[in-house]
Amino acid sequence: MMSEGTILVVDDEVRSQEALRRVLNQDFEVLCAGSAADAEKLLEGEIVHAILCDQRMPHESGVSFLRRVREHWPDPVRMIISGYSDSEDIIAGLNEAGIYQYITKPWQPDRLVEIVKEAIQLYRLQKETETAGVDVKATAGHIKKVVSVKRGVAKQLYDFNRILHAPDSPLHDVIELGRRAADYDISVLITGESGTGKELLARAIHYGSARASKAFVVENCGALPDELLESELFGCKKGAFTGAYQDRIGLFEVANGGTIFLDEIGETSPAFQVKLLRVLQESEIRPLGAQRVHKVDVRVVAATNRDLEAEVEAGRFRRDLYYRLAAFPVHMPALRDRPMDIPLIAEGVLSAVKTSFNRPNLRFAASALEEFCRYQWPGNVRELQNEIQRMAVLADHDELRSPPLLGRRNGRRPAAPVNGKLNGSASLKDKVEDLEKSVIVSYLEKYEGNISRVASELGLSRVGLRNKLSRYDLRKNAKGEAFS
């Protein structure tokens, strides 16, 4: 049976420990300690979600111990069990140690299990909303309401029907594949260029599935080195590596029962791929520096803008991990391959811009939409969003006319290779230089010869770009004017 979380029971009486263990171990992993000192040793080596502590112990009160826990291990939800109803203890527990529940003896087994489940739910809610360490004095009903409202809003926002597309769009078949995948607990690999909406499809799959009432969490696997990525996904104990200043619950554990979206999975190292493969095979994680593994029930949706099959053949991506992730592959088409969707998406973006910029009367001129449909959008939907925002900022009137940064190219496609060498028999050096020249020409047209903008976009210094312009004899524009 999958554990809902790890509970630390702190009680100096062995019989009390065993009674609590018997009641809780069907739903939770239960650790027991006979003293505050033993409990602290366990907290140093384990990820704990909630603590049940007896108030009256020989050397230290439960409130005193939990006050210290709050300082050094703020994440676990803290609860006191006591046979005494001392109001001063209760007030001290609530105010000084951040106690979530004060449970009186004799406790009822069913009610105790319910309280602990609510505590675990609170723990995960705090982590999911990135409020870990903040004491939330909330009733069980309030917690359930917050969770329900939050997930309900997301379910509506990320429904498949909210993915804008025309009836004859190639995206129609992609969405139908997504709907089918949502009905089954299967790993999904979404491929496609950056900015095509891979995360949007992943969210729709989650909120269209039986896991919709649980968490959906996102990690960009290309943004972090291995050690930090492991910490983010699998969790870590304080001191596990340089910079690990506190316990961290991993995103796989936050997503327990739900879905994790691993974006840019193709950027991961072979060493990390081995560790991820084991997690997917065994459905368990071991936080860095922790002594125990934790079982998790998580659906994985991964995404990449790389050709992972080619990466496998080149030896840069593990074949076994690829097949584990790509049980159900889905490809997101580029925006240039579905021009019929561009007006719909543009109007949807403009609707949001009108609200955020407080300009309710903004509208597109027909010529702007026509130019949108002719342009190739190498940055896909993300580039379209940015372009519309720039148009709104630069517009002196409510009608948005010619897009400012498409270079006023009269609908021309990005420049073809200048000398046509890419398909010929030229040397590799010549082909690379020809490709580089064509890219520079394309960006010069896009930014109307603005050297600073082109250099910034291509990751070059102005001097470096000017050297390349000189080498390729691109120092003047079509009108014979020097580039600025």
Side-chain angles (χ1 to χ4, degrees):
M1 184 181 223
M2 188 69 66
S3 167
E4 294 194 24
T6 300
I7 311 300
L8 173 58
V9 172
V10 187
D11 199 309
D12 59 304
E13 294 185 8
V14 176
R15 286 183 299 176
S16 295
Q17 292 181 22
E18 291 303 318
L20 288 165
R21 187 195 296 275
R22 281 195 301 271
V23 170
L24 298 173
N25 66 4
Q26 280 196 315
D27 298 287
F28 312 98
E29 181 179 0
V30 182
L31 308 176
C32 292
S35 67
D38 291 342
E40 288 185 14
K41 289 179 182 177
L42 285 171
L43 286 168
E44 287 173 355
E46 302 290 344
I47 298 289
V48 172
H49 303 100
I51 301 173
L52 278 171
C53 184
D54 186 37
Q55 167 61 1
R56 302 238 172 152
M57 297 186 291
H59 303 294
E60 185 175 18
S61 72
V63 167
S64 174
F65 166 64
L66 292 181
R67 188 187 302 122
R68 194 163 64 255
V69 168
R70 184 187 195 186
E71 181 179 349
H72 296 287
W73 298 279
D75 291 343
V77 178
R78 299 169 291 279
M79 295 173 283
I80 284 284
I81 294 184
S82 178
Y84 304 89
S85 57
D86 190 330
S87 60
E88 291 184 4
D89 286 342
I90 296 174
I91 293 172
L94 291 174
N95 294 337
E96 298 173 20
I99 302 298
Y100 169 65
Q101 284 280 359
Y102 197 102
I103 303 165
T104 58
K105 296 179 182 178
W107 39 264
Q108 297 297 317
D110 291 345
R111 177 56 184 153
L112 180 65
V113 170
E114 184 179 342
I115 290 172
V116 174
K117 285 184 176 181
E118 290 164 356
I120 297 292
Q121 190 177 36
L122 173 59
Y123 178 93
R124 297 195 189 284
L125 177 62
Q126 287 177 321
K127 288 297 182 182
E128 186 182 342
T129 56
E130 298 183 349
T131 58
V134 177
D135 293 312
V136 179
K137 298 181 178 68
T139 65
H142 177 69
I143 296 169
K144 291 176 181 177
K145 183 177 179 181
V146 169
V147 173
S148 177
V149 170
K150 183 173 182 286
R151 302 260 164 77
V153 170
K155 188 176 178 67
Q156 292 181 358
L157 185 61
Y158 297 111
D159 187 85
F160 284 107
N161 293 329
R162 298 293 293 270
I163 302 178
L164 296 175
H165 66 287
D168 57 341
S169 168
L171 199 58
H172 176 78
D173 291 339
V174 172
I175 291 172
E176 287 306 307
L177 284 175
R179 290 183 191 275
R180 286 181 175 270
D183 291 335
Y184 299 93
D185 217 13
I186 187 172
S187 297
V188 177
L189 176 65
I190 306 174
T191 57
E193 296 178 9
S194 294
T196 51
K198 297 188 291 293
E199 183 177 335
L200 191 63
L201 180 64
R203 288 183 182 274
I205 289 171
H206 168 73
Y207 288 108
S209 74
R211 294 177 178 266
S213 62
K214 300 295 184 180
F216 177 88
V217 298
V218 178
E219 182 59 66
N220 185 326
C221 298
L224 297 172
D226 282 4
E227 200 167 58
L228 288 179
L229 183 57
E230 287 181 52
S231 171
E232 284 287 315
L233 292 179
F234 311 143
C236 72
K237 292 298 298 176
K238 180 180 178 180
F241 59 90
T242 302
Y245 300 116
Q246 61 183 8
D247 291 354
R248 176 188 290 276
I249 183 175
L251 293 181
F252 266 89
E253 199 160 349
V254 174
N256 196 28
T259 303
I260 189 166
F261 176 58
L262 301 178
D263 199 7
E264 296 191 31
I265 191 67
E267 308 300 320
T268 55
S269 70
F272 176 79
Q273 291 168 25
V274 172
K275 296 174 182 178
L276 178 60
L277 177 64
R278 176 170 176 78
V279 170
L280 300 183
Q281 287 175 335
E282 306 298 331
S283 296
E284 63 183 26
I285 58 170
R286 183 193 296 274
L288 294 175
Q291 300 170 2
R292 294 168 178 261
V293 297
H294 297 267
K295 284 288 185 181
V296 289
D297 171 24
V298 177
R299 180 188 199 169
V300 175
V301 179
T304 182
N305 57 16
R306 291 179 177 243
D307 182 345
L308 278 196
E309 290 187 354
E311 294 293 298
V312 168
E313 294 303 320
R316 291 186 292 267
F317 200 86
R318 291 185 63 94
R319 188 179 299 274
D320 45 7
L321 178 59
Y322 170 74
Y323 287 118
R324 177 71 63 168
L325 294 170
F328 195 92
V330 180
H331 181 73
M332 288 291 287
L335 188 57
R336 62 181 170 275
D337 296 328
R338 47 190 183 102
M340 68 290 291
D341 294 341
I342 291 175
L344 284 173
I345 297 172
E347 292 291 353
V349 172
L350 182 61
S351 178
V353 167
K354 288 193 289 188
T355 300
S356 61
F357 289 7
N358 194 27
R359 296 187 62 181
N361 297 320
L362 287 175
R363 63 189 183 279
F364 289 120
S367 60
L369 289 175
E370 290 171 2
E371 197 162 347
F372 280 164
C373 292
R374 289 194 298 265
Y375 183 59
Q376 293 292 285
W377 300 109
N380 293 293
V381 177
R382 194 173 296 125
E383 184 184 2
L384 175 60
Q385 292 171 330
N386 292 342
E387 187 68 24
I388 293 170
Q389 289 176 342
R390 284 192 289 264
M391 290 173 71
V393 169
L394 296 174
D396 295 325
H397 305 285
D398 288 334
E399 186 175 65
L400 305 182
R401 298 186 179 91
S402 182
L405 293 183
L406 300 191
R408 293 180 175 84
R409 297 162 64 182
N410 297 320
R412 284 184 289 156
R413 294 171 178 263
V418 178
N419 296 321
K421 296 176 184 174
L422 289 182
N423 296 321
S425 58
S427 68
L428 176 61
K429 179 176 180 294
D430 287 341
K431 289 183 178 181
V432 170
E433 288 183 348
D434 201 57
L435 178 59
E436 183 178 58
K437 182 177 179 180
S438 70
V439 170
I440 292 173
V441 169
S442 175
Y443 276 88
L444 286 170
E445 290 184 356
K446 179 176 180 179
Y447 293 114
E448 298 181 302
N450 186 312
I451 295 294
S452 296
R453 296 299 301 272
V454 174
S456 175
E457 191 77 11
L458 295 177
L460 299 170
S461 67
R462 282 177 58 90
V463 173
L465 179 58
R466 286 194 180 278
N467 288 338
K468 291 181 183 294
L469 294 179
S470 178
R471 185 200 311 169
Y472 297 131
D473 195 23
L474 296 173
R475 287 166 290 186
K476 296 181 180 181
N477 61 24
K479 298 178 181 179
E481 302 167 339
F483 290 121
S484 58

